[in-house]
Amino acid sequence: MRKKLSVRTIIKYLTLILASIVAVFPLLWIILSAFKGPGEINQYPTNILPKQWTFDNFRYVLSELNFGNYIVNSLVIALATTFVAVTISALAAYGVVRFFPRVGKALTRLLITTYMFPPILLAIPYSVIIGALGLVNTRIGLIIVYLSFSVPYAVWLLVGFFETVPLGIEEAARIDGANKLQVFIQVVLPIVAPGIVATAIYTFINAWNEFLYSLILINSTEKMTIAVALRALENQEILDWGQMMAASSLVVLPSVIFFVFIQNKISSGLAEGATK
Amino acid sequence: MRKLFKKKMLVWGFALLASIFLISACGGKDKKDEATVDGELNGEITFWHSFTQGPRMESIQKSAEDFEKEHPGVKIKIESFSWDDFYQKWTTGLASNNVPDMSTALPNHVVEMIDSGAVVPLNDLIDSIGRNRFSEMSIGEGHVDGNDYSIPLYSHAQVMWIRKDLLEENNLEIPETWDEFAKAAEILTKDGVYGASFPTGSNDFLGTRYLNYYVRSHGESLLTDDLKANITSDAAIEGIKFWVDIYEKASPKDSISYNVLDQATLYYQGKTAFDFNSGFQIAGVEANSPDLLEYIDAAPIPKVNKDDEELGIETANIPMVVWENSEHPEVCKAFIEYLFEKDRYIEFLSATPVGMLPSLNDISEEPAYKENKIVKQFSHAEKVISDAVAKGTAIGYEHGPSVQAGLLVSQGIIESMFQDIITNDVQVEKAAKAAEEELNEIFSSVEQ
Amino acid sequence: MIKRIKKINYTSWLFILPAILVIVSLLLYPVLSSVVYSFTSKHLTRPVSTFVGLQNYKKILADEQFYKAFFMSIKWTVASIGGQVILGFILAMLLNSIKIGKKMFRVLLIVPWAFPVVVIAVIWKFLLNGVYGFIPTMLVNLGLTDTLPQFLSSGTLVFPTILFVNLWFGTPMIMVNILSALQTIPEEQYEAAKMDGASTWQTFVSVTIPHISKVVGLLVILRTIWVFTNFDMVYLLTGGGPANVTMTLPIYAYKMGWGLKLLGKSSAITIIMLIFLLIVCSIYFYYSDKKEKENV
């Protein structure tokens, strides 16, 4: 019995290890390539590890191309979008589930209609709206547009998570005299914390990687986001793989760090929340 | 009325939302534009260009700063986007009045800009710099109804890139005709090296470009005089067969999905013996494979017969335009003229030596220009490319600038045709006919 | 049936008001303008356009390429979502069942999700390149094939290849959501099932599945729409080629709207897509509502 179990465990781990390798390999490749000197990335056959480690590519991308600045821009915009969108959406999702079950359902369904339009076609109307508001070339303008795709998604998914919260727990709290907002913050939120985190990751990633609206709405170089800067590097007449790999690493890594950070937040908060 | 109400609602909604945000944001751009007073230049202009990295960007930046110093009333805001992105930027920008005062452009874009009335004539500017200093062809690319809407900033042309070491090892001469090219490419295809890659990926226009090399070297064009697609001419059919043959004999099979990046990377890796590209190839090789730099050189694109005269193939004259929306066209024009001042201009060109060739024909004779290290090292390539620049045009521009020429390259139809022939064994004549019809249908659908 | 805690009042409205504001203000205008464009000869850069009635729709519905792209889009979406859900589910269950290294694996497995699509295209094209790509050369070195596989240029391999890339990219998100849903299952429910003497499988069917089905269902709908309307992944990897075999509807619409600048026509394509997706969603809702009623 015991032996059988451990074979199963080994298979589980092997599967996870294999899946992890497939998942991480491209990132590893990008990072390792970024440390290679000129000529080495394009050497054939390719080495996986750099023969001679160099920081030149990173140095160039950070100092000459100002990627540090773009990372900060993207970070500010993505975090602000995530914060605002998740707050608005969590309130709305809870409101829909608890107070407007009927109307709410229809409403959330209407929400996803917005996803049925390819962004490329929404770009023109958005640039008109943001232009009319005088918010072209501002971060606020961009964040507002990002809400248009983050809020529907977040509401839609959070509704699913909130519906799993047993009503009994809330009723108990209400009997203790807590008001709606207190019940929401103290009782319900901890239970759906994993769902909130999943939604937050999604919102962050989408805002972080968003390219089209950022290209169209932001003009000045100092406000440019990282996705636009990356594309500018890729579409050059003079293609430099080393720089491209260094820039790509700098785009992907902050999201990965964000994952690590936010994941640790859930696993602690949740277990207690659910059993309270 | 209703619209107004909707707008009000919108604004109100946004105001509410905006107040939620805790982060501070930078204010919108404030346009404090004053009228020009007694001849002195005044006002703030925005300049969009596509030099997103390196010395070219710095050179422009420096010129702007110098110009501001000389004209205290002027402020130049520089913003840069890559070529591909720039297109989306200005097309949506037109809808929301978010376009610059002046910008760089691609010849194909200029036609569309003129078509939508977005740019102003620059006849006076060209006259002031010296009309005869530019090549007639380069100015002609922005010439519509007696007006010149664009001014060429620099030029480059497509040429053949070779590997001297590989040719030498195999006792081969630089091919001068397509037949020689095909033979050499076949011979060089061995030991993991390919003679020549024939790229025809769907999200780029390389298939069209390669076919155009062949067709133009026959003195033909991919467009007819009345601007219809011309893929079924004898030269075109022969050209299609030629490249399919090269694909089969000398090219990696993967190349039917290649875009410009994939194609260039193959050359950087030393995996192809011949390649076709502009003078920017030098900087690309230098950045990616410095060891190869000493072995590369440029040669004219092959001809039909050895003693044929050299015909122009594909030249790109990168223009600048001044936008209709600008409140200070006079500032823009003065700044453009400033960029063309001799020393300043030579310094700009030296940012990508041999990649950017002067559009003013007197500059190439200047000692300061010739002294550049790379220009010296690649003096042969420089000459080859300069000769090609003088004779060539943008693809399809043999009949003057047209929207059709732009559509010819942007729709991926010729690329798709090549893929069809190669992967589905469709007969060449049939595929060419179908592609031609498809293009003509597209041409007619956009005519107004 | 969920009982309402209290009568509807103003505090309840405050919960949903901000979201309604965002939606109404940001989506009404773009959506309506697309509908209007679809009945006009709207051109991307030309200022003037005229009303053309159903012309745009008629022309598109008569285009053979449209149906090919439509079919390709359906195939692409179904295969992508199906694969992502199955893989995401397996990985989430595995992650949920192990004790050591859980956090580490969770982070490693969601790495692909952090990739912007530009980087996805560049790196996978590099790794899969049929001349120097790491993966084809590795396959040859391992003796699995004799010639370098042409992953992105062979008419037969290209679809499985881009599907693989989309699974690689999309599975993490499904996995994270399923995992989050698994974690919101109160421990008591498992204990209760155990007390009733349910087997592992029975517990799985009676506790786990019902609990996560809601979230998974919503997610599938969302991702289906997203994949169906997504343009850049396929475009950057293949551009719709070779020989148009990977041309999806969004690429078709893009070529119309930005390549040909026929914004009116491309809006019409979008509206057709919208109608199709609405039908698909309505069918889904019909069945999920029916199921819900049965469960009550």
Side-chain angles (χ1 to χ4, degrees):
Chain A
M1 186 66 193
R2 215 185 172 145
K3 212 174 174 185
K4 209 174 156 191
L5 252 176
S6 68
V7 168
R8 244 174 84 178
T9 316
I10 288 170
I11 293 174
K12 273 184 194 170
Y13 275 98
L14 281 179
T15 318
L16 285 173
I17 289 170
L18 187 78
S20 303
I21 291 174
V22 175
V24 175
F25 185 73
L27 177 61
L28 267 182
W29 184 279
I30 289 172
I31 295 174
L32 290 173
S33 299
F35 283 110
K36 291 177 182 170
E40 229 199 304
I41 297 178
N42 286 310
Q43 217 165 48
Y44 183 84
T46 337
N47 311 307
I48 295 186
L49 288 176
K51 259 188 259 160
Q52 200 152 22
W53 295 72
T54 166
F55 283 92
D56 286 356
N57 292 322
F58 282 105
R59 200 174 300 135
Y60 186 84
V61 164
L62 282 170
S63 67
E64 300 289 310
L65 299 179
N66 250 331
F67 260 65
N69 183 27
Y70 305 142
I71 291 179
V72 173
N73 288 340
S74 283
L75 211 57
V76 168
I77 289 167
L79 285 176
T81 306
T82 308
F83 179 74
V84 177
V86 172
T87 309
I88 293 181
S89 311
L91 286 169
Y94 181 69
V96 160
V97 170
R98 275 297 167 267
F99 313 128
F100 306 98
R102 289 263 171 96
V103 196
K105 205 179 215 172
L107 219 77
T108 41
R109 284 175 185 180
L110 200 66
L111 275 188
I112 52 160
T113 320
T114 60
Y115 261 68
M116 299 177 188
F117 279 84
I120 195 101
L121 277 181
L122 294 177
I124 294 165
Y126 280 158
S127 75
V128 173
I129 294 183
I130 297 298
L133 289 167
L135 289 174
V136 169
N137 202 21
T138 64
R139 297 188 180 90
I140 292 258
L142 196 58
I143 292 169
I144 289 174
V145 170
Y146 284 2
L147 289 182
S148 71
F149 60 80
S150 335
V151 168
Y153 166 85
V155 172
W156 173 254
L157 201 61
L158 284 173
V159 163
F161 283 107
F162 280 112
E163 280 183 346
T164 64
V165 177
L167 200 57
I169 298 179
E170 282 176 60
E171 273 168 351
R174 288 201 68 83
I175 291 165
D176 292 346
N179 70 26
K180 276 177 193 166
L181 201 64
Q182 284 168 328
V183 172
F184 173 68
I185 292 171
Q186 290 165 4
V187 182
V188 183
L189 274 190
I191 300 178
V192 292
I196 301 256
V197 169
T199 312
I201 293 181
Y202 179 94
T203 313
F204 178 86
I205 292 283
N206 268 14
W208 175 266
N209 289 347
E210 204 285 328
F211 163 73
L212 184 66
Y213 299 138
S214 160
L215 167 71
I216 285 162
L217 297 174
I218 299 292
N219 295 339
S220 37
T221 317
E222 59 288 2
K223 289 181 195 163
M224 208 182 259
T225 61
I226 199 154
V228 177
L230 187 74
R231 267 281 286 243
L233 206 56
E234 197 211 345
N235 287 335
Q236 278 298 315
E237 291 112 320
I238 306 157
L239 311 154
D240 189 321
W241 278 95
Q243 288 171 21
M244 220 151 78
M245 291 294 120
S248 301
S249 316
L250 292 174
V251 179
V252 177
L253 280 175
S255 305
V256 175
I257 293 166
F258 181 75
F259 289 160
V260 176
F261 176 74
I262 200 167
Q263 284 217 354
N264 283 334
K265 279 252 157 343
I266 34 164
S267 41
S268 54
L270 147 84
E272 302 121 49
T275 44
K276 246 179 208 165
Chain B
M1 189 61 206
R2 214 187 223 169
K3 209 169 172 187
L4 202 82
F5 176 69
K6 210 170 85 191
K7 253 193 189 150
K8 256 190 179 163
M9 277 285 286
L10 275 175
V11 175
W12 186 74
F14 280 118
L16 194 113
L17 273 174
S19 64
I20 304 172
F21 298 142
L22 292 169
I23 60 138
S24 63
C26 311
K29 57 175 169 186
D30 45 320
K31 271 199 176 165
K32 45 169 177 74
D33 295 325
E34 261 108 65
T36 330
V37 208
D38 27 285
E40 181 52 36
L41 289 171
N42 247 319
E44 183 180 321
I45 58 164
T46 305
F47 175 22
W48 284 359
H49 68 63
S50 298
F51 314 126
T52 52
Q53 60 175 181
R56 286 197 285 180
M57 186 157 113
E58 286 153 26
S59 164
I60 297 266
Q61 187 69 44
K62 189 175 163 295
S63 296
E65 281 160 19
D66 292 349
F67 190 77
E68 284 173 352
K69 252 178 242 154
E70 283 177 33
H71 304 274
V74 170
K75 191 149 175 13
I76 302 173
K77 239 173 48 187
I78 292 185
E79 294 164 348
S80 60
F81 311 94
S82 73
W83 289 117
D84 289 13
D85 298 342
F86 179 61
Y87 183 72
Q88 286 181 333
K89 190 83 194 161
W90 76 259
T91 44
T92 39
L94 271 185
S96 56
N97 266 341
N98 182 21
V99 289
D101 295 277
M102 58 181 280
S103 72
T104 54
L106 289 176
N108 282 337
H109 296 182
V110 174
V111 179
E112 287 174 38
M113 289 167 182
I114 299 170
D115 187 49
S116 42
V119 290
V120 298
L122 300 174
N123 309 21
D124 48 345
L125 175 63
I126 291 173
D127 288 334
S128 159
I129 294 173
R131 186 170 287 272
N132 48 15
R133 296 173 72 195
F134 295 93
S135 84
E136 207 175 304
M137 271 188 202
S138 67
I139 291 187
E141 293 188 349
H143 188 89
V144 172
D145 296 337
N147 279 321
D148 298 306
Y149 290 90
S150 66
I151 181 162
L153 178 60
Y154 65 89
S155 304
H156 59 79
Q158 294 289 314
V159 290
M160 180 169 70
W161 288 90
I162 57 163
R163 282 275 303 278
K164 291 185 281 191
D165 53 335
L166 292 177
L167 287 174
E168 215 165 288
E169 277 166 31
N170 292 279
N171 293 319
L172 289 167
E173 295 287 311
I174 299 171
E176 287 177 49
T177 66
W178 288 112
D179 286 342
E180 286 175 13
F181 171 82
K183 270 187 207 122
E186 205 180 337
I187 293 170
L188 290 171
T189 305
K190 60 179 177 191
D191 310 328
V193 171
Y194 296 92
S197 165
F198 170 62
T200 185
S202 309
N203 49 11
D204 216 327
F205 63 94
L206 295 180
T208 312
R209 168 172 275 173
Y210 275 56
L211 181 59
N212 186 58
Y213 295 152
Y214 194 90
V215 170
R216 289 294 297 139
S217 71
H218 283 67
E220 296 263 341
S221 162
L222 290 176
L223 288 180
T224 61
D225 290 335
D226 56 347
L227 301 179
K228 293 268 183 290
N230 187 16
I231 320 290
T232 49
S233 68
D234 289 346
I237 295 286
E238 210 180 285
I240 297 168
K241 287 181 177 160
F242 178 82
W243 287 117
V244 171
D245 190 50
I246 291 288
Y247 173 80
E248 271 154 16
K249 289 186 179 142
S251 169
K253 297 296 158 273
D254 214 26
S255 66
I256 56 166
S257 64
Y258 281 4
N259 62 16
V260 72
L261 175 62
D262 307 316
Q263 175 75 3
T265 302
L266 220 54
Y267 190 72
Y268 300 158
Q269 296 208 341
K271 304 289 284 178
T272 40
F274 295 113
D275 197 8
F276 294 87
N277 208 325
S278 72
F280 281 88
Q281 190 92 329
I282 295 172
V285 170
E286 196 182 13
N288 289 284
S289 310
D291 298 346
L292 280 184
L293 200 58
E294 55 178 308
Y295 302 121
I296 66 166
D297 200 357
I301 288 180
K303 297 175 285 190
V304 185
N305 302 305
K306 246 188 174 105
D307 43 1
D308 284 353
E309 72 164 314
E310 285 202 14
L311 293 163
I313 309 286
E314 186 191 342
T315 298
N317 299 298
I318 305 302
M320 285 199 287
V321 292
V322 175
W323 290 75
E324 174 72 38
N325 268 24
S326 174
E327 286 170 41
H328 307 286
E330 72 292 342
V331 178
C332 299
K333 287 176 187 174
F335 180 54
I336 293 176
E337 195 162 349
Y338 191 69
L339 289 175
F340 277 106
E341 280 178 12
K342 194 176 81 188
D343 297 340
R344 191 169 295 287
Y345 187 53
I346 290 174
E347 201 203 311
F348 169 71
L349 296 173
S350 73
T352 316
V354 191
M356 299 194 293
L357 297 179
S359 52
L360 299 173
N361 42 36
D362 47 300
I363 293 291
S364 45
E365 296 308 317
E366 290 290 334
Y369 172 78
K370 286 180 166 172
E371 262 163 31
N372 182 286
K373 195 181 117 243
I374 294 279
V375 172
K376 264 187 179 163
Q377 186 186 346
F378 285 93
S379 59
H380 175 250
E382 203 261 357
K383 185 166 182 327
V384 168
I385 302 168
S386 304
D387 289 349
V389 163
K391 293 168 188 155
T393 61
I395 298 175
Y397 271 38
E398 302 84 38
H399 318 276
S402 68
V403 177
Q404 283 82 350
L407 292 169
L408 186 70
V409 295
S410 66
Q411 300 306 302
I413 285 170
I414 295 177
E415 286 70 24
S416 197
M417 173 195 75
F418 273 117
Q419 294 167 352
D420 230 7
I421 295 168
I422 289 165
T423 57
N424 300 337
D425 279 326
V426 179
Q427 201 211 348
V428 169
E429 284 79 4
K430 212 176 129 200
K433 184 103 190 98
E436 188 176 281
E437 277 165 11
E438 201 178 344
L439 277 166
N440 281 332
E441 203 181 306
I442 285 173
F443 292 172
S444 66
S445 75
V446 292
E447 268 162 19
Q448 255 185 353
Chain C
M1 218 22 192
I2 301 164
K3 238 195 283 171
R4 278 177 230 176
I5 296 180
K6 214 180 166 185
K7 273 200 301 184
I8 295 170
N9 62 22
Y10 291 108
T11 5
S12 309
W13 276 101
L14 283 181
F15 275 88
I16 63 167
L17 192 65
I20 292 180
L21 264 177
V22 169
I23 307 306
V24 172
S25 54
L26 282 174
L27 291 161
L28 217 56
Y29 174 68
V31 171
L32 287 180
S33 67
S34 286
V35 174
V36 172
Y37 288 166
S38 77
F39 294 109
T40 66
S41 64
K42 180 82 183 161
H43 186 274
L44 188 60
T45 57
R46 287 178 193 148
V48 208
S49 62
T50 51
F51 179 77
V52 295
L54 288 171
Q55 272 293 323
N56 291 330
Y57 290 92
K58 274 186 195 152
K59 277 195 183 138
I60 284 155
L61 291 174
D63 186 356
E64 190 195 356
Q65 192 62 51
F66 167 79
Y67 295 96
K68 280 191 190 154
F70 205 150
F71 177 71
M72 175 62 204
S73 275
I74 292 175
K75 183 172 138 190
W76 162 247
T77 309
V78 170
S80 296
I81 299 299
Q84 287 174 8
V85 169
I86 293 168
L87 287 173
F89 188 75
I90 292 172
L91 290 173
M93 292 299 283
L94 282 176
L95 274 183
N96 204 38
S97 71
I98 61 164
K99 298 251 149 38
I100 308 156
K102 191 174 182 167
K103 276 186 194 169
M104 182 192 73
F105 280 121
R106 202 167 50 185
V107 169
L108 292 181
L109 286 171
I110 57 176
V111 161
W113 195 7
F115 274 68
V117 74
V118 181
V119 182
I120 294 178
V122 167
I123 191 65
W124 279 110
K125 281 174 81 175
F126 195 82
L127 290 173
L128 293 170
N129 186 290
V131 178
Y132 52 78
F134 178 78
I135 292 169
T137 38
M138 188 184 68
L139 292 176
V140 171
N141 289 342
L142 290 174
L144 292 174
T145 66
D146 294 333
T147 52
L148 291 166
Q150 310 294 311
F151 285 110
L152 287 165
S153 51
S154 134
T156 46
L157 278 180
V158 66
F159 184 75
T161 305
I162 58 172
L163 181 62
F164 166 80
V165 175
N166 203 22
L167 294 184
W168 172 85
F169 169 71
T171 301
M173 136 176 277
I174 308 266
M175 182 196 81
V176 168
N177 278 287
I178 293 180
L179 192 61
S180 302
L182 286 174
Q183 285 173 335
T184 54
I185 302 178
E187 201 57 36
E188 304 97 81
Q189 292 198 10
Y190 281 119
E191 276 158 25
K194 227 183 206 169
M195 299 253 268
D196 294 344
S199 68
T200 319
W201 175 250
Q202 282 168 327
T203 317
F204 178 72
V205 173
S206 65
V207 180
T208 314
I209 293 279
H211 204 93
I212 64 168
S213 64
K214 185 84 200 175
V215 169
V216 174
L218 295 178
L219 198 60
V220 163
I221 275 291
L222 200 71
R223 295 300 295 174
T224 302
I225 298 170
W226 192 86
V227 172
F228 194 82
T229 55
N230 176 266
F231 147 79
D232 33 19
M233 171 93 82
V234 183
Y235 186 75
L236 291 177
L237 280 171
T238 71
N244 288 337
V245 290
T246 56
M247 165 99 92
T248 58
L249 265 190
I251 295 182
Y252 179 75
Y254 174 82
K255 286 193 165 173
M256 203 66 94
W258 291 79
L260 297 177
K261 293 152 205 90
L262 299 175
L263 206 54
K265 256 183 157 182
S266 78
S267 298
I269 301 171
T270 320
I271 302 296
I272 297 174
M273 281 167 69
L274 177 76
I275 293 168
F276 172 73
L277 286 170
L278 283 176
I279 294 171
V280 172
C281 290
S282 310
I283 295 172
Y284 169 83
F285 292 141
Y286 175 77
Y287 281 104
S288 78
D289 285 351
K290 212 167 135 188
K291 220 179 91 192
E292 217 163 81
K293 265 184 203 140
E294 282 164 6
N295 286 344
V296 173

